[in-house]
Amino acid sequence: QVQLVESGGGLVQAGGSLRLSCAASGSIGSVGRMGWYRQAPGGQRELVATVRSDGNSNYADFVQGRFTISRNNAKTALYLQMKSLKPEDTAVYYCNARNKFTLINYWGQGTQVTVSS
């Protein structure tokens, strides 16, 4: 089992920045890919960014260079630096960790990001 706890969400004006954090604990040795997903009201959960065990990262098209995902070497912390935020970035942001052996996904409880226009 892997436990994930997000923090850092909040209310920000359009054009502003936020840094999301995710603290991971439990069976860290089983963690492979980690990432951030988001779900807007009435919408489906969608991928924002992922980072693999080898450090390679992947971003959704809508990020357009505005967000940066990072992780510490111990895989106990995951971050998402968000800049130039837009009202359409408003969503609950979820931290994700995937077991590299079973491919089971673990999720945090989510942190709300609200961008006002």
Side-chain angles (χ1 to χ4, degrees):
Q1 290 286 336
V2 175
Q3 293 78 44
L4 303 169
V5 179
E6 302 97 334
S7 61
L11 174 64
V12 64
Q13 289 188 332
S17 300
L18 278 176
R19 186 185 193 223
L20 305 183
S21 299
C22 173
S25 61
S27 302
I28 299 300
S30 68
V31 172
R33 191 187 74 178
M34 299 183 75
W36 290 95
Y37 290 70
R38 72 183 189 183
Q39 187 168 13
Q44 292 188 334
R45 193 170 296 188
E46 61 181 355
L47 181 147
V48 177
T50 60
V51 57
R52 299 185 332 195
S53 297
D54 60 7
N56 285 332
S57 57
N58 179 60
Y59 296 90
D61 289 343
F62 61 76
V63 169
Q64 298 177 327
R66 300 179 297 127
F67 300 173
T68 303
I69 189 170
S70 60
R71 181 177 67 182
N72 68 353
N73 289 335
K75 299 180 183 179
T76 56
L78 182 71
Y79 306 98
L80 185 68
Q81 178 67 52
M82 303 187 292
K83 301 178 181 179
S84 303
L85 284 161
K86 306 174 182 179
E88 51 263 44
D89 293 318
T90 295
V92 177
Y93 283 71
Y94 295 92
C95 179
N96 167 269
R98 189 171 69 178
N99 186 301
K100 61 186 175 183
F101 304 113
T102 66
L103 303 186
I104 290 175
N105 283 292
Y106 299 99
W107 298 94
Q109 81 288 348
T111 185
Q112 177 71 48
V113 171
T114 303
V115 185
S116 63
S117 58

